[in-house]
Structure formats: C-alpha cells, structure tokens
Amino acid sequence: MGNIYDLKTVQKTLTGADAGTDLGIGAVPDGKTRHVVWMKLYAPSANMVSIGPSDGAAAALTSIKDKQGLGAGDTIAYPDSINMDTCLFSIQEKSFLGVVTTAGVTDTELTLVYFDA
C-alpha cells in the first residue's frame, strides 16, 4: 500500500449537477489505484451525494461506491481515523473519482483524503 507521505487532500464545493463535480485531481495514473481513506461532507441544504468511478472529470458515475443522504445542516465524517490499510473504496487506473449530488443543490462541501498506489 502507500504510506502517510502519499496522502493527498481535496476540498470542493459540489455543484449539484447530474454530471458530477470536477474535483480537479485528474484521472488515476496508469498502473495505479486511487484509495479513498477518509471523507467529510457538510450540507447546509438537504442533499444526496453519490461517489464512485466515472469516465470523465465531470461525468455520470459508472458505479456507486458510496451514497449518503444528508439533511440540512448535517455533517458526516468517516472513518474516525485514517487507516492506510483499510480504505473506504478504490478507483481503478484511468478512471476519475466522480461525485454526483442532487440537481440544484450547490452548497455541499466535500473533503476527501486519498492516495494513489
């Protein structure tokens, strides 16, 4: 797997589009797998957030790895601590990490910790 020095963080306000939000982290490099090890979502407005692989930076998901329903004002963060050996989910090479939210809800904040190995 990776080590603590391989960790990367992305923070993004989700756009509320059916096609997803471009997280700005690009596709998983050839020969690598992207491992998501920690996630936090804050939703000022009620929202449904789906996360998984996609074929483009802002494209529909090819599958759903995680789906969370949040009420207005909800914050969820999981797991309690980062464990490099037990990731939440992984995305294969050449795929993008996609995040799709309820259309029209544009204020949900995502923080994600991941590494490529």
Side-chain angles (χ1 to χ4, degrees):
M1 273 297 196
N3 65 54
I4 195 75
Y5 301 106
D6 297 327
L7 290 175
K8 298 175 185 167
T9 302
V10 62
Q11 293 180 305
K12 195 75 170 180
T13 300
L14 304 177
T15 60
D18 292 335
T21 300
D22 183 353
L23 300 177
I25 58 176
V28 180
D30 288 348
K32 302 276 186 170
T33 300
R34 183 157 291 156
H35 304 277
V36 176
V37 294
W38 188 83
M39 186 171 7
K40 178 182 173 185
L41 291 161
Y42 167 65
S45 305
N47 203 348
M48 180 66 69
V49 180
S50 299
I51 300 173
S54 66
D55 292 331
L61 303 181
T62 56
S63 68
I64 295 174
K65 298 287 187 173
D66 189 55
K67 188 172 191 173
Q68 298 292 328
L70 296 103
D74 281 355
T75 299
I76 57 172
Y78 54 97
D80 291 336
S81 61
I82 293 172
N83 180 344
M84 300 285 288
D85 296 321
T86 307
C87 64
L88 295 173
F89 57 87
S90 299
I91 304 294
Q92 299 303 313
E93 66 181 344
K94 299 180 184 176
S95 291
F96 290 80
L97 181 59
V99 183
V100 176
T101 61
T102 304
V105 180
T106 60
D107 57 359
T108 300
E109 297 289 333
L110 169 71
T111 304
L112 202 64
V113 178
Y114 69 97
F115 68 95
D116 296 337

